[in-house]
Amino acid sequence: MLTSLLAEALAITFDNLNMTASIFECAEEAAEDLSPVARQKLGLVHAGLALAIQGMECDELQQLIQRSELYCDF
C-alpha cells in the first residue's frame, strides 16, 4: 500500500517538475526584467529544480513511477 502511494507521489512530482522546467525555459526572457536579487533567487530555483529532476531519474525511482496508475495518464 505504501509503495503504491509512493509510486503515485513520484509520478505526479516528476511530471510537475518536468512541466515547471519547460515553463521556465519558455519564460526565460521575463527574468531579464527582474532585480539582481530576484534573478539570483530564480537561479537557486533553477538549480534546485535541476537537482530534483536528476534525482528522479534514478532507475529504481523510474521503475516505481512506471508502476504508478497515474503514469499511464502522462
Side-chain angles (χ1 to χ4, degrees):
M1 176 67 180
L2 288 177
T3 302
S4 64
L5 183 61
L6 177 60
E8 301 305 324
L10 287 171
I12 292 168
T13 302
F14 192 52
D15 183 58
N16 287 338
L17 289 169
N18 284 310
M19 179 181 59
T20 302
S22 295
I23 292 169
F24 276 170
E25 285 178 23
C26 293
E28 201 169 309
E29 283 182 24
E32 295 171 2
D33 297 333
L34 297 175
S35 69
V37 171
R39 282 196 307 269
Q40 180 186 20
K41 298 300 182 184
L42 186 58
L44 292 174
V45 171
H46 281 186
L49 183 59
L51 286 172
I53 290 171
Q54 184 180 11
M56 296 289 278
E57 291 173 344
C58 165
D59 288 341
E60 191 172 350
L61 295 180
Q62 285 297 310
Q63 288 173 8
L64 275 173
I65 289 169
Q66 291 172 5
R67 283 195 274 168
S68 162
E69 291 179 21
L70 296 174
Y71 180 77
C72 298
D73 295 338
F74 297 136

